[in-house]
Amino acid sequence: DMAAEGVASPPPGSTQCMLGYPDRYEAASKYIRHARAGGKELPPDTLLMLYALGAQVEKGPCNLSKPGGWLGGNAQEVAMWQSWKSL
């Protein structure tokens, strides 16, 4: 149970996390562990958010240029960059 580990549930209807860094990353990591332990496959947007939170904790705010410049680049790299940049 996530509440037993100190991870509070968001208010009903809320999609915003009220935690700051690095607590937000730790809560997301616990969510991932619980979901995987239950055999749940996680959607790509959840995995992207976990990547972004991890990058934020380890490297700080994203100050990198968009991968591929204005020409686009690898779709996965761009999605990862956008997720991190949005924090």
Side-chain angles (χ1 to χ4, degrees):
D1 171 81
M2 290 179 63
E5 290 192 38
V7 178
S9 297
S14 173
T15 58
Q16 285 286 24
C17 180
M18 306 306 263
L19 298 173
Y21 301 106
D23 296 334
R24 188 173 178 186
Y25 174 73
E26 293 300 325
S29 294
K30 287 178 185 177
Y31 171 78
I32 297 293
R33 283 194 299 276
H34 282 276
R36 287 188 173 158
K40 183 176 180 182
E41 187 167 327
L42 301 169
D45 60 326
T46 300
L47 296 173
L48 276 173
M49 181 54 70
L50 184 60
Y51 162 77
L53 291 169
Q56 181 86 6
V57 167
E58 294 171 13
K59 302 171 189 170
C62 179
N63 57 8
L64 302 175
S65 298
K66 183 178 179 180
W70 295 106
L71 300 176
N74 177 299
Q76 183 176 358
E77 290 175 358
V78 171
M80 292 168 71
W81 176 85
Q82 287 174 326
S83 185
W84 181 17
K85 188 77 171 173
S86 71
L87 297 179

